[in-house]
Structures are given as structure tokens and as C-alpha cells.
Amino acid sequence: WIQFHHDHDEDFFEWFCSYEDIRHVLLQYIGDRQACILEIGSGLSAMAAKMVLDDGYTNITCLDWCDNAIAKIKRILFRRYSTAIEQQLLQTCIA
């Protein structure tokens, strides 16, 4: 994983599916936008950011053991979502 994240472009990467692919399922079963959500192995996924910015979820914890992935996703999010409001929402809602 360390090598993968080192070599991968500085962009989002979804292993299984995108947020758009499962959005309807998440909205159906996690209707409470304040529910505590844990995304394990978050890597370079855009899922948590999209859940916050597109649908108003407010309490998501992203977990990944790879320091390279964590550092890279922070740079990606900062670059992709550069307005002060977007950055404040992401910092407040995603740990």
C-alpha cells in the first residue's frame, strides 16, 4: 500500500465504487445526517468529502493506516475544495 500511494497520481481513487454509485443506499439506510460514520481504509476516496459537501453528513471519521495516503488525500481535498466554506466543512465534519 505504501508503494501504491507513493506511485499513484495526486487524485481521488475509488477501489470498489464511487459515492454516486451507492448514494441512494446510504441515504436510505443512513438518513440521519448527524450519525457517526466510520470509513475504514479510506485511502484516496472522495466518499467522505462528497457525503459532507453533497448531502450534509456532519460526523465522519476516516481511517487509514498508510501515512502516505493520509497526507495525499489532505492535499487532494485542499486542492479540489479550495473555498473557505468547503474547507471549513471538511475540517469540521471529517476527522
Side-chain angles (χ1 to χ4, degrees):
W1 288 115
I2 293 169
Q3 190 65 46
F4 171 83
H5 290 298
H6 178 268
D7 294 344
H8 192 273
D9 293 335
E10 229 161 275
D11 201 2
F12 294 121
F13 181 80
E14 307 296 345
W15 277 107
F16 182 66
C17 63
S18 69
Y19 181 58
E20 291 78 17
D21 293 333
I22 63 167
R23 180 177 183 254
H24 67 284
V25 175
L26 294 176
L27 292 172
Q28 180 180 354
Y29 292 102
I30 311 175
D32 179 2
R33 301 305 200 277
Q34 289 84 38
C36 296
I37 298 169
L38 175 62
E39 183 182 1
I40 298 173
S42 54
L44 303 179
S45 175
M47 187 152 319
K50 290 184 178 286
M51 290 176 75
V52 169
L53 297 174
D54 295 352
D55 288 317
Y57 288 93
T58 60
N59 191 6
I60 302 174
T61 300
C62 298
L63 180 65
D64 202 295
W65 67 270
C66 182
D67 292 337
N68 289 349
I70 296 166
K72 189 174 278 191
I73 194 64
K74 287 180 180 181
R75 290 191 304 270
I76 293 167
L77 290 170
F78 184 78
R79 186 184 75 244
R80 188 67 64 95
Y81 302 107
S82 59
T83 70
I85 293 170
E86 289 172 329
Q87 289 180 9
Q88 179 65 34
L89 278 170
L90 292 174
Q91 290 175 3
T92 301
C93 299
I94 301 175

Coordinates of all heavy atoms in Angstrom, one line a residue:
W1 N 0.8 -1.2 0.0 CA 0.0 0.0 0.0 C 0.8 1.2 0.0 O 0.5 2.2 -0.6 CB -1.0 0.0 1.2 CG -2.0 -1.0 1.0 CD1 -2.3 -2.1 1.8 CD2 -3.1 -1.0 0.0 NE1 -3.4 -2.8 1.3 CE2 -3.9 -2.1 0.2 CE3 -3.4 -0.1 -1.0 CZ2 -5.0 -2.4 -0.6 CZ3 -4.5 -0.4 -1.8 CH2 -5.3 -1.6 -1.6
I2 N 1.9 1.2 0.7 CA 2.8 2.4 0.8 C 3.3 2.7 -0.6 O 3.2 3.9 -1.1 CB 4.0 2.1 1.7 CG1 3.4 2.1 3.2 CG2 5.0 3.3 1.6 CD1 4.5 1.6 4.2
Q3 N 3.7 1.7 -1.4 CA 4.2 1.9 -2.7 C 3.1 2.4 -3.6 O 3.3 3.3 -4.5 CB 4.8 0.6 -3.3 CG 5.6 0.8 -4.6 CD 6.8 1.8 -4.4 OE1 7.6 1.6 -3.5 NE2 6.9 2.7 -5.3
F4 N 1.9 1.8 -3.5 CA 0.8 2.2 -4.3 C 0.5 3.7 -4.1 O 0.3 4.4 -5.1 CB -0.5 1.4 -4.0 CG -1.7 1.9 -4.7 CD1 -2.0 1.6 -6.0 CD2 -2.6 2.8 -4.0 CE1 -3.1 2.1 -6.6 CE2 -3.7 3.3 -4.6 CZ -4.0 2.9 -5.9
H5 N 0.4 4.1 -2.9 CA 0.0 5.5 -2.6 C 1.2 6.4 -3.0 O 1.0 7.6 -3.4 CB -0.4 5.7 -1.2 CG -1.7 5.1 -0.9 ND1 -2.9 5.5 -1.5 CD2 -2.1 4.1 -0.1 CE1 -3.9 4.8 -1.0 NE2 -3.4 3.9 -0.2
H6 N 2.4 5.9 -3.0 CA 3.5 6.7 -3.4 C 3.5 7.0 -4.9 O 3.7 8.0 -5.4 CB 4.9 6.0 -3.0 CG 6.1 6.8 -3.4 ND1 6.7 6.5 -4.7 CD2 6.8 7.8 -2.9 CE1 7.7 7.3 -4.8 NE2 7.8 8.1 -3.7
D7 N 3.2 5.9 -5.6 CA 3.2 5.9 -7.1 C 1.9 6.5 -7.7 O 2.0 7.0 -8.9 CB 3.4 4.5 -7.7 CG 4.7 4.0 -7.3 OD1 5.6 4.7 -6.9 OD2 4.9 2.7 -7.4
H8 N 0.8 6.5 -7.0 CA -0.5 6.9 -7.6 C -0.5 8.4 -7.8 O 0.0 9.2 -6.9 CB -1.6 6.5 -6.7 CG -3.0 6.6 -7.3 ND1 -3.7 7.8 -7.3 CD2 -3.7 5.8 -8.1 CE1 -4.8 7.6 -8.0 NE2 -4.8 6.4 -8.5
D9 N -1.2 8.9 -8.8 CA -1.3 10.3 -9.1 C -2.0 11.0 -7.9 O -2.7 10.4 -7.1 CB -2.2 10.5 -10.3 CG -1.5 10.1 -11.6 OD1 -0.3 10.0 -11.6 OD2 -2.2 9.7 -12.6
E10 N -1.8 12.3 -7.8 CA -2.5 13.1 -6.8 C -3.9 13.4 -7.2 O -4.3 14.5 -7.6 CB -1.7 14.3 -6.6 CG -1.4 14.5 -5.3 CD -0.7 15.1 -4.3 OE1 0.4 14.6 -4.0 OE2 -1.2 16.1 -3.8
D11 N -4.7 12.3 -7.1 CA -6.1 12.4 -7.4 C -6.9 11.3 -6.7 O -6.3 10.4 -6.2 CB -6.3 12.2 -8.9 CG -7.6 12.9 -9.4 OD1 -8.4 13.4 -8.6 OD2 -7.9 12.7 -10.6
F12 N -8.2 11.5 -6.6 CA -9.0 10.5 -5.9 C -8.9 9.2 -6.6 O -8.6 9.1 -7.8 CB -10.5 11.0 -6.0 CG -10.8 12.2 -5.2 CD1 -11.3 13.3 -5.8 CD2 -10.6 12.2 -3.8 CE1 -11.6 14.4 -5.0 CE2 -10.9 13.4 -3.1 CZ -11.4 14.5 -3.7
F13 N -9.1 8.1 -5.8 CA -9.1 6.8 -6.3 C -10.1 6.0 -5.6 O -10.1 5.9 -4.3 CB -7.7 6.1 -6.2 CG -7.7 4.8 -6.8 CD1 -7.5 4.5 -8.1 CD2 -7.8 3.6 -5.9 CE1 -7.5 3.3 -8.6 CE2 -7.7 2.4 -6.4 CZ -7.6 2.2 -7.8
E14 N -11.1 5.3 -6.3 CA -12.1 4.5 -5.7 C -11.8 3.1 -6.0 O -11.8 2.7 -7.2 CB -13.5 4.9 -6.1 CG -13.8 6.4 -6.0 CD -13.9 6.9 -4.5 OE1 -13.9 6.0 -3.6 OE2 -13.8 8.1 -4.3
W15 N -11.6 2.2 -5.1 CA -11.4 0.8 -5.3 C -12.7 0.1 -5.8 O -12.6 -0.7 -6.7 CB -10.9 0.1 -4.1 CG -9.4 0.2 -3.8 CD1 -8.9 1.0 -2.9 CD2 -8.4 -0.4 -4.6 NE1 -7.5 0.9 -3.0 CE2 -7.2 0.1 -4.0 CE3 -8.3 -1.3 -5.6 CZ2 -5.9 -0.3 -4.5 CZ3 -7.1 -1.7 -6.1 CH2 -5.9 -1.2 -5.5
F16 N -13.7 0.3 -5.1 CA -14.9 -0.5 -5.3 C -16.0 0.2 -6.1 O -16.4 -0.3 -7.1 CB -15.5 -1.0 -4.0 CG -16.7 -1.9 -4.1 CD1 -16.6 -3.1 -4.7 CD2 -17.9 -1.5 -3.6 CE1 -17.7 -3.9 -4.8 CE2 -19.0 -2.3 -3.7 CZ -18.9 -3.5 -4.3
C17 N -16.4 1.3 -5.6 CA -17.4 2.1 -6.2 C -17.4 3.6 -5.8 O -16.8 3.9 -4.8 CB -18.8 1.6 -6.0 SG -19.3 1.6 -4.3
S18 N -18.0 4.4 -6.5 CA -18.0 5.9 -6.2 C -19.2 6.2 -5.3 O -20.1 5.4 -5.2 CB -18.1 6.7 -7.4 OG -19.3 6.6 -8.0
Y19 N -19.2 7.3 -4.7 CA -20.3 7.7 -3.8 C -21.6 7.8 -4.7 O -22.6 7.4 -4.2 CB -20.0 9.1 -3.2 CG -21.1 9.6 -2.3 CD1 -21.6 8.8 -1.3 CD2 -21.8 10.8 -2.6 CE1 -22.6 9.2 -0.4 CE2 -22.8 11.2 -1.8 CZ -23.2 10.4 -0.7 OH -24.3 10.8 0.1
E20 N -21.5 8.2 -5.9 CA -22.6 8.3 -6.8 C -23.3 6.9 -7.0 O -24.5 6.8 -7.1 CB -22.3 9.0 -8.1 CG -22.0 10.4 -8.0 CD -20.6 10.7 -7.5 OE1 -19.7 9.8 -7.4 OE2 -20.3 11.9 -7.1
D21 N -22.4 5.9 -7.0 CA -22.9 4.5 -7.2 C -23.7 4.0 -6.1 O -24.7 3.2 -6.3 CB -21.7 3.6 -7.4 CG -21.0 3.8 -8.7 OD1 -21.6 4.3 -9.7 OD2 -19.8 3.5 -8.8
I22 N -23.4 4.4 -4.8 CA -24.1 3.9 -3.7 C -24.9 5.0 -2.9 O -25.4 4.7 -1.8 CB -23.2 3.1 -2.7 CG1 -22.1 4.0 -2.2 CG2 -22.6 1.9 -3.5 CD1 -21.3 3.4 -1.0
R23 N -24.9 6.2 -3.4 CA -25.5 7.3 -2.7 C -27.0 6.9 -2.3 O -27.3 7.2 -1.1 CB -25.5 8.5 -3.6 CG -26.2 9.7 -3.0 CD -26.1 10.9 -3.9 NE -26.6 12.1 -3.3 CZ -27.8 12.6 -3.6 NH1 -28.5 12.1 -4.6 NH2 -28.3 13.6 -3.0
H24 N -27.8 6.4 -3.1 CA -29.2 6.1 -2.8 C -29.3 5.1 -1.7 O -30.2 5.2 -0.8 CB -29.9 5.6 -4.1 CG -29.4 4.2 -4.6 ND1 -28.2 4.1 -5.3 CD2 -29.9 3.0 -4.5 CE1 -28.1 2.8 -5.6 NE2 -29.1 2.1 -5.1
V25 N -28.4 4.1 -1.6 CA -28.4 3.2 -0.5 C -28.0 3.8 0.8 O -28.7 3.6 1.9 CB -27.4 2.0 -0.8 CG1 -27.3 1.0 0.4 CG2 -27.8 1.2 -2.0
L26 N -27.0 4.7 0.8 CA -26.6 5.3 2.0 C -27.7 6.3 2.5 O -28.0 6.4 3.7 CB -25.3 6.1 1.8 CG -24.0 5.2 1.5 CD1 -22.8 6.1 1.2 CD2 -23.8 4.3 2.7
L27 N -28.3 7.0 1.6 CA -29.4 7.9 2.0 C -30.5 7.2 2.6 O -31.2 7.6 3.5 CB -29.8 8.8 0.8 CG -28.8 9.8 0.3 CD1 -29.3 10.4 -1.0 CD2 -28.5 10.9 1.4
Q28 N -30.8 6.0 2.1 CA -31.9 5.2 2.6 C -31.7 4.6 4.0 O -32.5 4.7 4.8 CB -32.2 4.0 1.6 CG -33.4 3.1 2.0 CD -33.6 2.0 1.1 OE1 -33.0 1.9 0.0 NE2 -34.5 1.1 1.5
Y29 N -30.4 4.1 4.2 CA -30.1 3.5 5.4 C -29.4 4.3 6.5 O -29.3 3.9 7.6 CB -29.3 2.2 5.2 CG -30.2 1.1 4.5 CD1 -30.1 0.9 3.1 CD2 -31.2 0.4 5.2 CE1 -30.9 0.0 2.5 CE2 -32.0 -0.5 4.5 CZ -31.8 -0.7 3.2 OH -32.6 -1.6 2.5
I30 N -28.8 5.4 6.0 CA -28.2 6.4 7.0 C -28.8 7.7 6.8 O -28.2 8.7 6.3 CB -26.7 6.4 6.8 CG1 -26.1 5.0 6.8 CG2 -26.1 7.2 8.0 CD1 -24.6 5.1 6.5
G31 N -30.1 7.8 7.0 CA -30.9 9.0 6.8 C -30.5 10.2 7.8 O -30.6 11.3 7.4
D32 N -30.0 9.8 9.0 CA -29.6 10.8 10.0 C -28.3 11.4 9.6 O -27.2 10.7 9.6 CB -29.5 10.1 11.3 CG -29.1 11.0 12.4 OD1 -28.9 12.2 12.2 OD2 -29.0 10.5 13.6
R33 N -28.3 12.6 9.2 CA -27.0 13.3 8.7 C -26.0 13.5 9.8 O -24.9 13.8 9.6 CB -27.4 14.6 8.0 CG -28.3 14.5 6.8 CD -27.8 13.6 5.7 NE -28.3 13.8 4.4 CZ -29.5 13.3 4.0 NH1 -30.3 12.6 4.8 NH2 -29.9 13.5 2.8
Q34 N -26.5 13.4 11.1 CA -25.6 13.5 12.2 C -25.1 12.2 12.7 O -24.3 12.1 13.7 CB -26.2 14.3 13.4 CG -26.4 15.8 13.1 CD -27.7 16.1 12.3 OE1 -28.7 15.4 12.5 NE2 -27.6 17.0 11.4
A35 N -25.4 11.1 12.1 CA -25.0 9.8 12.5 C -23.5 9.7 12.5 O -22.8 10.3 11.7 CB -25.6 8.7 11.6
C36 N -22.9 8.9 13.5 CA -21.4 8.7 13.5 C -21.1 7.7 12.4 O -21.6 6.5 12.5 CB -21.0 8.2 14.8 SG -21.3 9.4 16.1
I37 N -20.3 8.0 11.5 CA -19.9 7.1 10.3 C -18.4 6.9 10.4 O -17.6 7.9 10.5 CB -20.4 7.8 9.0 CG1 -21.9 7.9 9.0 CG2 -19.9 6.9 7.8 CD1 -22.4 8.8 7.8
L38 N -18.0 5.7 10.2 CA -16.6 5.3 10.2 C -16.3 4.7 8.8 O -16.9 3.7 8.4 CB -16.3 4.3 11.2 CG -14.9 3.7 11.2 CD1 -13.8 4.8 11.5 CD2 -14.8 2.6 12.3
E39 N -15.4 5.4 8.1 CA -14.9 4.8 6.8 C -13.6 4.2 7.0 O -12.6 4.9 7.2 CB -14.9 6.0 5.7 CG -14.5 5.4 4.4 CD -14.3 6.5 3.3 OE1 -14.5 7.7 3.6 OE2 -14.0 6.1 2.2
I40 N -13.5 2.9 7.0 CA -12.3 2.2 7.2 C -11.5 2.0 5.9 O -12.1 1.5 4.9 CB -12.6 0.8 7.9 CG1 -13.3 1.0 9.2 CG2 -11.3 0.0 8.1 CD1 -13.8 -0.2 9.9
G41 N -10.2 2.3 5.9 CA -9.4 2.1 4.7 C -9.8 3.2 3.7 O -9.9 2.9 2.5
S42 N -9.9 4.4 4.1 CA -10.4 5.5 3.3 C -9.5 5.8 2.1 O -9.9 6.2 1.1 CB -10.7 6.7 4.1 OG -9.6 7.1 4.9
G43 N -8.2 5.6 2.3 CA -7.2 5.9 1.3 C -7.4 7.2 0.5 O -7.5 8.2 1.2
L44 N -7.6 7.1 -0.8 CA -7.7 8.3 -1.6 C -9.2 8.5 -2.1 O -9.4 9.2 -3.1 CB -6.8 8.2 -2.8 CG -5.3 8.0 -2.5 CD1 -4.5 8.0 -3.8 CD2 -4.8 9.2 -1.6
S45 N -10.1 8.0 -1.3 CA -11.5 8.0 -1.7 C -12.1 9.4 -1.5 O -11.8 10.1 -0.5 CB -12.3 7.0 -0.8 OG -13.7 7.2 -1.1
A46 N -13.0 9.8 -2.4 CA -13.7 11.0 -2.3 C -15.0 10.9 -1.5 O -15.8 11.8 -1.3 CB -14.0 11.6 -3.7
M47 N -15.3 9.6 -1.1 CA -16.6 9.4 -0.5 C -17.0 10.3 0.7 O -18.1 10.9 0.7 CB -16.7 7.9 0.0 CG -18.1 7.6 0.4 SD -18.6 5.9 0.2 CE -18.0 5.3 -1.3
A48 N -16.2 10.4 1.7 CA -16.5 11.2 2.8 C -16.7 12.7 2.5 O -17.6 13.3 2.9 CB -15.4 11.1 3.9
A49 N -15.8 13.2 1.6 CA -16.0 14.6 1.2 C -17.3 14.8 0.5 O -18.0 15.8 0.7 CB -14.8 15.0 0.3
K50 N -17.7 13.9 -0.4 CA -18.9 14.0 -1.1 C -20.1 13.9 -0.2 O -21.1 14.5 -0.3 CB -19.0 13.0 -2.3 CG -18.0 13.4 -3.4 CD -18.2 12.4 -4.5 CE -17.3 12.8 -5.7 NZ -17.7 14.0 -6.4
M51 N -20.0 13.0 0.8 CA -21.1 12.8 1.8 C -21.3 14.1 2.6 O -22.5 14.5 2.8 CB -20.8 11.7 2.8 CG -20.9 10.3 2.1 SD -20.4 9.0 3.2 CE -21.9 8.9 4.2
V52 N -20.2 14.8 2.9 CA -20.3 16.1 3.6 C -20.8 17.2 2.7 O -21.8 17.9 3.0 CB -19.0 16.5 4.2 CG1 -19.0 17.9 4.8 CG2 -18.6 15.5 5.3
L53 N -20.2 17.4 1.6 CA -20.5 18.6 0.7 C -21.7 18.4 -0.1 O -22.4 19.4 -0.4 CB -19.3 18.9 -0.2 CG -18.0 19.3 0.6 CD1 -16.8 19.4 -0.4 CD2 -18.2 20.6 1.4
D54 N -22.0 17.2 -0.5 CA -23.2 17.0 -1.4 C -24.5 16.7 -0.6 O -25.6 17.1 -1.1 CB -23.0 15.8 -2.4 CG -21.9 16.1 -3.4 OD1 -21.4 17.2 -3.5 OD2 -21.5 15.2 -4.1
D55 N -24.3 16.0 0.5 CA -25.6 15.6 1.2 C -25.6 16.0 2.7 O -26.6 15.6 3.4 CB -25.7 14.1 1.1 CG -26.1 13.7 -0.3 OD1 -27.0 14.4 -0.9 OD2 -25.5 12.7 -0.9
G56 N -24.7 16.7 3.2 CA -24.8 17.3 4.5 C -24.5 16.4 5.7 O -24.9 16.7 6.8
Y57 N -23.8 15.3 5.5 CA -23.4 14.5 6.7 C -22.4 15.3 7.5 O -21.6 16.0 6.9 CB -22.8 13.2 6.2 CG -23.9 12.2 5.7 CD1 -24.2 12.2 4.3 CD2 -24.6 11.4 6.6 CE1 -25.2 11.3 3.9 CE2 -25.6 10.5 6.1 CZ -25.9 10.5 4.7 OH -26.8 9.7 4.3
T58 N -22.4 15.1 8.8 CA -21.6 16.0 9.6 C -20.7 15.3 10.6 O -20.0 16.0 11.3 CB -22.5 16.9 10.5 OG1 -23.4 16.1 11.3 CG2 -23.4 17.8 9.6
N59 N -20.6 14.0 10.6 CA -19.8 13.3 11.6 C -19.1 12.0 11.0 O -19.6 10.9 11.3 CB -20.6 13.0 12.8 CG -19.8 12.5 14.0 OD1 -18.6 12.5 14.0 ND2 -20.4 12.1 15.1
I60 N -18.1 12.2 10.2 CA -17.5 11.1 9.5 C -16.0 11.0 10.0 O -15.3 12.0 10.0 CB -17.5 11.2 8.0 CG1 -19.0 11.4 7.5 CG2 -16.8 10.1 7.3 CD1 -19.1 11.7 6.0
T61 N -15.6 9.8 10.4 CA -14.2 9.5 10.7 C -13.7 8.6 9.7 O -14.2 7.6 9.4 CB -14.1 8.8 12.1 OG1 -14.7 9.7 13.1 CG2 -12.7 8.5 12.4
C62 N -12.6 9.1 9.0 CA -11.9 8.3 8.0 C -10.6 7.7 8.6 O -9.9 8.3 9.3 CB -11.5 9.2 6.9 SG -12.9 9.9 6.0
L63 N -10.4 6.4 8.4 CA -9.3 5.7 9.0 C -8.5 5.0 7.9 O -9.1 4.3 7.0 CB -9.9 4.6 9.9 CG -8.9 3.7 10.7 CD1 -8.1 4.5 11.6 CD2 -9.7 2.6 11.4
D64 N -7.2 5.2 7.9 CA -6.3 4.5 7.1 C -4.9 4.4 7.8 O -4.5 5.4 8.4 CB -6.1 5.2 5.7 CG -5.7 4.3 4.6 OD1 -4.5 3.8 4.7 OD2 -6.4 4.0 3.7
W65 N -4.3 3.3 7.7 CA -3.0 3.1 8.3 C -1.8 3.6 7.6 O -0.7 3.8 8.1 CB -2.8 1.6 8.7 CG -2.6 0.8 7.4 CD1 -3.6 0.1 6.7 CD2 -1.4 0.5 6.8 NE1 -3.0 -0.5 5.6 CE2 -1.6 -0.3 5.6 CE3 0.0 0.9 7.0 CZ2 -0.7 -0.7 4.7 CZ3 0.9 0.4 6.1 CH2 0.6 -0.3 5.0
C66 N -2.0 4.0 6.3 CA -0.9 4.4 5.4 C -0.8 5.9 5.5 O -1.6 6.7 5.0 CB -1.2 4.0 4.0 SG 0.1 4.4 2.9
D67 N 0.3 6.3 6.1 CA 0.6 7.8 6.2 C 0.6 8.5 4.9 O 0.2 9.6 4.8 CB 1.9 8.0 7.0 CG 1.8 7.6 8.4 OD1 0.7 7.6 9.0 OD2 2.9 7.4 9.0
N68 N 1.2 7.8 3.9 CA 1.2 8.4 2.5 C -0.2 8.7 2.0 O -0.4 9.8 1.4 CB 1.9 7.5 1.5 CG 3.4 7.4 1.7 OD1 4.0 8.1 2.5 ND2 4.0 6.4 1.1
A69 N -1.1 7.8 2.2 CA -2.5 8.0 1.8 C -3.1 9.2 2.5 O -3.8 10.0 1.9 CB -3.3 6.8 2.0
I70 N -2.9 9.3 3.8 CA -3.5 10.4 4.6 C -2.9 11.7 4.2 O -3.7 12.7 4.0 CB -3.2 10.1 6.1 CG1 -4.0 8.8 6.6 CG2 -3.7 11.3 6.9 CD1 -3.5 8.3 7.9
A71 N -1.6 11.8 4.0 CA -1.0 13.1 3.6 C -1.5 13.4 2.2 O -1.8 14.6 1.9 CB 0.5 13.0 3.6
K72 N -1.6 12.4 1.3 CA -2.0 12.7 -0.1 C -3.5 13.1 -0.2 O -3.8 14.1 -0.9 CB -1.8 11.5 -1.0 CG -2.0 11.8 -2.4 CD -1.6 10.6 -3.3 CE -0.1 10.6 -3.5 NZ 0.4 9.6 -4.5
I73 N -4.4 12.5 0.6 CA -5.8 12.8 0.5 C -6.0 14.2 1.1 O -6.9 15.0 0.6 CB -6.7 11.8 1.2 CG1 -8.2 12.0 0.8 CG2 -6.6 11.8 2.7 CD1 -8.5 11.9 -0.7
K74 N -5.2 14.6 2.1 CA -5.4 16.0 2.6 C -5.0 17.0 1.5 O -5.6 18.0 1.3 CB -4.5 16.2 3.8 CG -5.1 15.5 5.0 CD -4.2 15.7 6.2 CE -4.8 15.0 7.5 NZ -4.0 15.2 8.7
R75 N -3.9 16.7 0.8 CA -3.5 17.7 -0.3 C -4.6 17.7 -1.4 O -4.9 18.8 -2.0 CB -2.2 17.2 -0.9 CG -1.0 17.5 0.0 CD 0.3 17.3 -0.7 NE 0.5 16.0 -1.3 CZ 1.1 14.9 -0.7 NH1 1.4 15.0 0.5 NH2 1.2 13.8 -1.4
I76 N -5.1 16.5 -1.8 CA -6.1 16.4 -2.8 C -7.4 17.2 -2.4 O -7.9 18.0 -3.2 CB -6.5 15.0 -3.1 CG1 -5.3 14.2 -3.7 CG2 -7.8 14.9 -4.0 CD1 -5.5 12.7 -3.8
L77 N -7.8 17.0 -1.2 CA -9.0 17.8 -0.7 C -8.8 19.3 -0.7 O -9.7 20.0 -1.0 CB -9.4 17.2 0.7 CG -10.0 15.8 0.7 CD1 -10.1 15.4 2.2 CD2 -11.3 15.8 0.0
F78 N -7.6 19.7 -0.2 CA -7.3 21.1 -0.1 C -7.3 21.7 -1.5 O -7.8 22.8 -1.8 CB -5.9 21.3 0.5 CG -5.6 22.8 0.7 CD1 -6.2 23.5 1.7 CD2 -4.7 23.4 -0.1 CE1 -5.9 24.8 1.9 CE2 -4.4 24.7 0.0 CZ -5.0 25.5 1.0
R79 N -6.7 21.0 -2.5 CA -6.7 21.5 -3.9 C -8.0 21.5 -4.5 O -8.4 22.4 -5.2 CB -5.7 20.7 -4.7 CG -5.4 21.2 -6.1 CD -4.5 20.3 -6.9 NE -5.3 19.1 -7.3 CZ -5.0 17.9 -7.0 NH1 -4.0 17.6 -6.2 NH2 -5.7 16.8 -7.4
R80 N -8.8 20.4 -4.4 CA -10.1 20.2 -5.1 C -11.2 21.1 -4.5 O -12.0 21.6 -5.2 CB -10.5 18.7 -5.0 CG -11.7 18.3 -5.8 CD -11.4 18.4 -7.3 NE -10.5 17.5 -7.8 CZ -10.7 16.3 -8.2 NH1 -11.9 15.8 -8.3 NH2 -9.7 15.5 -8.7
Y81 N -11.2 21.2 -3.2 CA -12.2 22.0 -2.5 C -11.5 23.2 -1.8 O -11.2 23.2 -0.6 CB -12.9 21.1 -1.5 CG -13.6 19.9 -2.1 CD1 -13.0 18.7 -1.9 CD2 -14.7 20.1 -2.9 CE1 -13.6 17.5 -2.5 CE2 -15.3 18.9 -3.5 CZ -14.7 17.7 -3.3 OH -15.3 16.6 -3.8
S82 N -11.3 24.2 -2.6 CA -10.5 25.3 -2.1 C -11.2 26.5 -1.5 O -10.5 27.4 -0.9 CB -9.6 25.8 -3.3 OG -10.4 26.3 -4.3
T83 N -12.5 26.6 -1.5 CA -13.2 27.7 -0.9 C -13.1 27.6 0.6 O -13.0 26.5 1.1 CB -14.6 27.8 -1.4 OG1 -15.4 26.8 -0.8 CG2 -14.8 27.8 -2.9
A84 N -13.2 28.7 1.3 CA -13.1 28.7 2.7 C -14.2 27.9 3.3 O -14.1 27.2 4.3 CB -13.1 30.1 3.3
I85 N -15.4 28.0 2.8 CA -16.6 27.3 3.3 C -16.4 25.8 3.1 O -16.7 25.0 4.1 CB -17.9 27.8 2.6 CG1 -18.2 29.2 3.0 CG2 -19.1 26.9 2.9 CD1 -19.3 29.8 2.2
E86 N -16.0 25.3 2.0 CA -15.8 23.9 1.7 C -14.7 23.4 2.7 O -14.9 22.3 3.3 CB -15.3 23.6 0.3 CG -16.4 23.8 -0.7 CD -15.8 23.8 -2.1 OE1 -14.7 24.2 -2.4 OE2 -16.6 23.4 -3.0
Q87 N -13.6 24.1 2.8 CA -12.5 23.6 3.7 C -13.0 23.6 5.2 O -12.7 22.6 5.9 CB -11.3 24.5 3.6 CG -10.6 24.3 2.3 CD -9.4 25.2 2.1 OE1 -8.9 25.8 3.0 NE2 -8.8 25.2 0.9
Q88 N -13.8 24.6 5.6 CA -14.3 24.6 7.0 C -15.2 23.4 7.2 O -15.1 22.7 8.2 CB -15.0 25.9 7.3 CG -15.6 26.0 8.7 CD -14.6 25.9 9.8 OE1 -13.5 26.5 9.6 NE2 -14.9 25.3 10.9
L89 N -16.1 23.1 6.3 CA -17.0 22.0 6.4 C -16.2 20.7 6.5 O -16.5 19.8 7.3 CB -17.9 21.9 5.2 CG -19.2 22.8 5.3 CD1 -19.9 22.8 3.9 CD2 -20.1 22.3 6.4
L90 N -15.2 20.5 5.6 CA -14.4 19.2 5.6 C -13.7 19.1 6.9 O -13.6 18.0 7.5 CB -13.5 19.2 4.4 CG -14.2 19.1 3.1 CD1 -13.2 19.2 1.9 CD2 -15.0 17.8 3.0
Q91 N -13.1 20.2 7.4 CA -12.3 20.1 8.6 C -13.2 19.8 9.8 O -12.8 19.1 10.8 CB -11.5 21.4 8.8 CG -10.3 21.5 7.9 CD -9.6 22.8 8.0 OE1 -9.9 23.6 8.9 NE2 -8.7 23.0 7.1
T92 N -14.4 20.4 9.8 CA -15.3 20.2 10.9 C -16.0 18.9 10.9 O -16.2 18.3 12.0 CB -16.4 21.3 10.9 OG1 -15.8 22.6 10.9 CG2 -17.4 21.2 12.0
C93 N -16.3 18.3 9.8 CA -17.1 17.1 9.7 C -16.4 15.9 9.5 O -16.9 14.8 9.7 CB -18.1 17.3 8.5 SG -19.2 18.7 8.7
I94 N -15.1 15.9 9.1 CA -14.3 14.7 8.8 C -13.1 14.7 9.7 O -12.3 15.7 9.7 CB -13.9 14.7 7.3 CG1 -15.1 14.6 6.4 CG2 -13.1 13.4 7.1 CD1 -14.8 14.7 4.9
A95 N -13.0 13.7 10.4 CA -11.8 13.5 11.3 C -10.8 12.5 10.7 O -11.2 11.6 10.0 CB -12.2 13.0 12.7

